Amino acid sequence: GYPRPRGLVSSYQDFEGNGRLMNVSDLTIHSAALFSGNAGIIGTSIDFATFLEGLMAGRLVNRETLRWMLDTEDSGPFGLGLTFKNTPFGEAVGHSGADTGVLSEVRFWPEGSVTMVLLSNGGDSGLPEKLFLELWEELMSVVWGEADTRSGSA
């Protein structure tokens, strides 16, 4: 009975290590339902962007709660569900993750009011994760108008 949002793409993973990907969408949704409140968020890229932008604009929680979520000294490195990343384009707030067959990166840059979401099939560990991170770096370059983030300079 865990909801399946409209437009949700299928998840795939190579469980047997034989190079054949299996559709693990039902397992991904079941896993999310088991860990609801911890890792159980399923949505489309538009869902994630809308949620994060609404949160950061103060439309989902009151200002004091949002301040507490963004204060890593009081709430720890995860900011009550949020994580913080220093990038060549400034600090970004959001969350990243991996679950059965999926990889995600959802970030908001308060300084530029920029939101970026990248969702991908995980396939298996190793190469897909490496390619996902390279694609994320390239996406930041395109969005921010910089040539190459891998050099560490903006």
Side-chain angles (χ1 to χ4, degrees), residues 3-136:
R4 182 186 287 255
R6 274 176 56 138
L8 190 68
V9 298
S10 296
S11 307
Y12 296 90
Q13 190 152 340
D14 179 8
F15 273 127
E16 298 173 5
N18 61 7
R20 286 194 263 175
L21 298 177
M22 298 170 50
N23 187 322
V24 294
S25 301
D26 290 336
L27 182 58
T28 302
I29 290 171
H30 180 72
S31 174
L34 286 174
F35 298 105
S36 188
N38 178 20
I41 298 177
I42 295 176
T44 66
S45 57
I46 292 171
D47 293 336
F48 287 124
T50 301
F51 174 82
L52 188 55
E53 288 171 358
L55 177 67
M56 298 304 294
R59 293 190 303 266
L60 301 181
V61 298
N62 66 47
R63 294 281 177 195
E64 181 61 21
T65 300
L66 181 58
R67 184 207 59 77
W68 194 31
M69 292 175 76
L70 296 170
D71 184 348
T72 57
E73 288 185 33
D74 288 341
S75 60
F78 290 107
L80 300 175
L82 297 174
T83 60
F84 307 88
K85 277 195 176 176
N86 288 318
T87 75
F89 312 103
E91 186 173 70
V93 61
H95 206 87
S96 58
D99 204 336
T100 307
V102 294
L103 300 166
S104 65
E105 188 72 47
V106 180
R107 295 286 162 194
F108 177 79
W109 282 260
E111 191 167 309
S113 293
V114 172
T115 303
M116 291 176 36
V117 176
L118 180 62
L119 306 174
S120 174
N121 282 301
D124 58 14
S125 61
L127 183 59
E129 290 179 52
K130 180 181 182 296
L131 293 174
F132 181 83
L133 293 174
E134 288 176 6
L135 181 57
W136 178 255

